[in-house]
Each structure stands twice: as structure tokens, then as C-alpha cells.
Amino acid sequence: MQLLKKRILQDGKCYEGGILKVDGFINHQMDPVLMKSIGVEFVRRFAATNVNKIMTIEASGIAPAIMTGYLMDLPVVFAKTIQNALSTTVHSFTKDRDYEVVISADFLTPNDNVLFVDDFLAYGNAALGILDLIEQSGAKLVGMGFIIEKAFQNGRKILEEKGVRVESLAIIEDLSNCCIKIKDQ
């Protein structure tokens, strides 16, 4: 994922408190070549699993989840506000507030093997909320794929302690003094 790392270093914006913004190429303005590369990489990493559904939280994870779902020829479901919902509360590190996240019980069932795809892994709050929704539904989690992981915020450790397979395409080791340091994989 050299293209991803290059874009993070070139266009990522670092702010105090460990905030990394990638709005210009992932969140608010998507680079289609990069997004296709991200989808291809998630397919490569999870091809040997029995995943039958891709899941994400609306809105930042939509582009990579759709690309991954398209390439794997799988449906994509979105956690958001809907009827007949399973719900959980997640804390947003970036916005420092809690959100209720919901998904329709009609679209997440015990027959589903779910791959969760999202933009960031920091403290793991959103991922833990997704785990809660998957457990409520009776579905099985195959793994979680993240475009960018902030290794210094320990989300991976929390998820792996719960037995979750975590795949990150770019791992940020440090953002001290707003200098982006990416781990060589």
C-alpha cells in the first residue's frame, strides 16, 4: 500500500491530540484510484475467509466498504439510523462525543459472516460498537479492515484481545509534533 502511505504523508493533515485528517483523498473527496487499490488489498487479505457481507459505519467507511463489496461481489450494509434496529453507543475520538449507531436486524442475521471495513482504527470505539451489533444479531465477524491505524492509540490490542482479526493498510506509529511517522510493514 505504498500509494496510501504516500498520500498520507503528502496530503494528510495532523492536528494536536493525535488527530489525522485525510478528508482530501478518503473522507470528503475520494481518490478513485486509491480507493480501488484499497479495495483490492482488502480482497487479497480476506479472500480466504467465508465472508458473505461487508459492513461499515456511515459515512467515512462507505467508499472503501463499497469498493470492497463490489470487488468481492458481496452486499454492503451500513450502520445508521433505521427501523427494526439493533443499537449501540460509540465514542468518536475525533469529535469527542458519543453517537448511537444502529443497523437493521433485517440486514444482519445469524447467517452472516461479516467483514467490517472502516477508515480509521484509533482507540477501537467504533469497532467495539460494531462487535456489539454483530453479537446482538447473532452474525459472525470474519475480521476488520482499516485503511489507517493509529498504533499509538491501542485499538488493535483491544480488538485482538477479543479474538478479532485486524488488517490495517497503513499504520501510523506516531503523530508527535504533528509529524506523521508511518510504520514500515
Side-chain angles (χ1 to χ4, degrees), residues 18-20 93 120-122 148-155 172 175:
I19 306 282
L20 176 64
F93 167 74
F120 274 96
L121 172 59
I148 301 168
E149 174 185 339
K150 296 180 194 174
F152 57 92
Q153 291 175 326
N154 297 318
I172 307 298
L175 292 173

Side-chain angles (χ1 to χ4, degrees), residues 10-162:
Q10 175 183 305
D11 300 321
K13 306 274 191 253
C14 183
Y15 297 94
E16 291 299 318
I19 306 282
L20 176 64
K21 293 288 198 173
V22 291
D23 298 355
F25 57 100
I26 291 177
N27 301 114
H28 297 284
Q29 174 175 283
M30 180 195 67
D31 175 339
V33 172
L34 175 62
M35 206 51 59
K36 182 176 180 186
S37 297
I38 287 167
V40 166
E41 185 63 16
F42 281 138
V43 169
R44 185 185 72 76
R45 292 182 185 203
F46 289 97
T49 67
N50 60 347
V51 63
N52 68 350
K53 194 165 283 183
I54 308 296
M55 182 177 176
T56 192
I57 293 181
E58 194 176 58
S60 297
I62 289 176
I66 287 176
M67 184 59 72
T68 305
Y70 173 76
L71 293 171
M72 295 180 92
D73 197 24
L74 294 174
V76 179
V77 294
F78 309 97
K80 61 180 191 168
T81 305
I82 45 179
Q83 293 180 339
N84 190 21
L86 305 169
S87 74
T88 192
T89 302
V90 299
H91 183 78
S92 168
F93 167 74
T94 306
K95 296 179 180 160
D96 193 27
R97 64 173 279 214
D98 291 339
Y99 290 92
E100 183 179 26
V101 177
V102 298
I103 189 163
S104 173
D106 297 333
F107 302 121
L108 193 59
T109 71
N111 298 322
D112 291 323
N113 297 306
V114 179
L115 168 59
F116 175 69
V117 174
D118 205 9
D119 58 345
F120 274 96
L121 172 59
Y123 291 104
N125 296 327
L128 291 172
I130 292 302
L131 277 174
D132 183 36
L133 292 176
I134 289 171
E135 288 172 6
Q136 288 180 53
S137 74
K140 180 178 181 255
L141 179 68
V142 170
M144 294 188 162
F146 301 93
I147 297 174
I148 301 168
E149 174 185 339
K150 296 180 194 174
F152 57 92
Q153 291 175 326
N154 297 318
R156 174 184 287 271
K157 181 178 184 244
I158 291 166
L159 294 173
E160 288 180 341
E161 286 174 352
K162 293 187 172 290

